[in-house]
Amino acid sequence: MPLALVTGAARANSIAAAVVTRLRADGWDVATSDLHGTDHDVDLSTHDGPTALVDEVSRERGPIDALVLSHAHDDETGILDTTAESFDRHVAVNARASLLLIAAFARQVPSTGGAIVAMTSDHTTGNLPYGASKGALDRIVISAARELGPRGISANALNPGPVDTGWMDDETREGLGPYHPLGRLGETRDIAGVVAFLLSPEGRWVSGQLLQTDGGFSARY
């Protein structure tokens, strides 16, 4: 049974939680992480937390075949009200931790190769530190596809667009609805299905991509 490590899976209505459910249904063994309420509670903002997480999971459960990065730190601020401390924490959690997790994953990946999928975002104005750190994540993932490809590792970043994981109110739902060509908002299971494909043997030929998995929402630009 292949083993996947999914970060950011503590909330029951999150994309990561839907990914866990889908992967288990597809026959994966899944390890989860977050600060509370998951298999492995590790602080990814620290220098040694990400590597310790991968080492702990692989030591207890064997080699990890797939890595799904869905953890995030998010404070909605702009240029004039973003503090240095806030910016540093966003980079530490969203970018640096992802880099360290990817490196640790690649060092222990089995000879059959593996797959990496990371959740990203195109937020900018009004959500600057989050968007900037996710932009760094995009570059890390694309670099991973090139550098780790010879190890049989694929790597992709997914931008799911607006998915209601509990943050939307009725006004937001009504306002976003007309922008979706498919006539509905994205659901967590939609993204979980894409992740499951990319982790599968059939999906690993897709690599080095920043995929807009938003049901056509971004096609309006």
Side-chain angles (χ1 to χ4, degrees), residues 105-163:
F105 167 74
R107 293 188 186 103
Q108 60 80 68
V109 81
S111 59
T112 52
I116 300 163
V117 175
M119 299 300 162
T120 189
S121 172
D122 57 6
H123 280 198
T124 51
T125 305
N127 208 2
L128 174 66
Y130 179 73
S133 58
K134 287 292 189 176
L137 170 64
D138 296 348
R139 297 302 181 93
I140 291 168
V141 173
I142 292 171
S143 178
R146 296 289 302 180
E147 184 175 341
L148 304 179
R151 295 174 180 250
I153 299 173
S154 63
N156 295 284
L158 301 188
N159 181 0
V163 176

Side-chain angles (χ1 to χ4, degrees), residues 162 176 179-181 214 216-221:
L176 290 173
Y179 293 104
H180 278 79
D214 59 8
F217 178 81
S218 57
R220 74 187 194 278
Y221 293 115

Side-chain angles (χ1 to χ4, degrees), residues 176-207:
L176 290 173
Y179 293 104
H180 278 79
L182 294 179
R184 65 174 177 85
L185 294 175
E187 300 178 6
T188 56
R189 61 183 176 87
D190 297 318
I191 312 307
V194 177
V195 173
F197 170 71
L198 292 173
L199 299 188
S200 72
E202 294 83 2
R204 293 189 186 183
W205 187 243
V206 181
S207 189

Side-chain angles (χ1 to χ4, degrees), residues 54 64-67 100-109 114-116 153:
V54 173
I64 305 167
D65 301 277
L67 177 65
L100 296 175
L101 285 163
I102 288 170
F105 167 74
R107 293 188 186 103
Q108 60 80 68
V109 81
I116 300 163
I153 299 173

